[in-house]
Amino acid sequence: MLIKEACVENFTTVPTVIQNGARRIELCDNLAVGGTTPSKGVMAETHKYAAEFHIPVTAMIRPRGGNFVYTDTEVKIMEADIFEAQALGIDAVAFGALTPEKTLDIEVMDQLSAAAGGMQLVMHMAFDELDWAQQQQTIDYLVDRGFERILTHGGPASNPITANTDHLRQLIDYAAGRIAIMPGGGVTRDNYEELASTLKVNQVHGTKIV
């Protein structure tokens, strides 16, 4: 079955996207900057509502817009937000941290993964800022740490996702079933079926997926 993951901002549209066929929710705030951590109240209400329909919820864990290089204080904030999401029953958390040199920040990723004990782990589109060699190393790291999936546009955000299918195929081939590669960014109700068929993926992500 193809899983349509709807990326929503706040609780307002959650009932609608579930009614329209979303099979997983990624919950964010501030989509204008690519998504930040939703509030405790929004997470609680979304989980409560989605659970009635057996729809899992992923919470974005990101303290601000901008880059993915975080200070020690920001990491503490992200850790606290993960604990909060876990206490509220949220199924999964999506996060990503990079070094100033555009490599994966292993220390921060380890710390946040440990905070999420028992929750599903997702790497978000910080992944797209890595070069191909770093993406391969990151896939290996994420597999080793038990991550469920990687949300990726497959290339620059300025490209339509249909222009990134060759690289998405490379990622899928390298992952080799060890971790799910989930296309996102420009995936809509009009193109998701063709994209999923072309890439042979069973999950897709978007703000207009349903």
Side-chain angles (χ1 to χ4, degrees), residues 38-203:
S39 76
K40 177 180 177 180
V42 169
M43 284 194 282
E45 200 58 41
T46 300
H47 170 67
K48 179 182 174 183
Y49 185 90
E52 294 179 18
F53 300 90
H54 309 289
I55 302 294
V57 177
T58 300
M60 170 73 77
I61 302 296
R62 188 178 176 215
R64 55 163 171 77
N67 65 29
F68 302 100
V69 181
Y70 298 113
T71 66
D72 289 346
T73 300
E74 287 172 331
V75 174
K76 287 178 184 175
I77 290 169
M78 294 166 80
E79 195 174 38
D81 287 338
I82 289 173
F83 289 144
E84 200 67 73
Q86 186 180 52
L88 292 168
I90 296 295
D91 301 277
V93 282
F95 57 86
L98 307 180
T99 68
E101 295 73 38
K102 291 287 177 72
T103 63
L104 191 70
D105 192 325
I106 302 293
E107 184 178 345
V108 173
M109 294 295 286
D110 280 350
Q111 186 173 340
L112 297 179
S113 299
M119 304 176 81
Q120 287 189 7
L121 303 174
V122 182
M123 171 99 189
H124 61 41
M125 287 187 187
F127 181 82
D128 291 335
E129 298 201 7
L130 302 169
D131 65 26
W132 172 230
Q134 287 296 326
Q135 286 183 335
Q136 290 172 293
Q137 291 178 31
T138 295
I139 288 172
D140 293 338
Y141 164 86
L142 297 173
V143 169
D144 185 60
R145 296 304 194 277
F147 276 65
E148 294 278 333
R149 56 190 175 272
I150 300 168
L151 173 60
T152 174
H153 187 61
S158 55
N159 286 355
I161 195 161
T162 49
N164 296 338
T165 51
D166 287 346
H167 187 60
L168 285 164
R169 278 197 196 92
Q170 280 185 299
L171 293 170
I172 291 162
D173 288 346
Y174 186 80
R178 297 175 296 155
I179 186 172
I181 303 295
M182 181 170 63
V187 183
T188 69
R189 65 180 73 87
D190 298 320
N191 67 14
Y192 78 87
E193 287 182 301
E194 182 179 356
L195 189 70
S197 175
T198 298
L199 295 172
K200 296 180 173 60
V201 295
N202 62 5
Q203 48 189 312

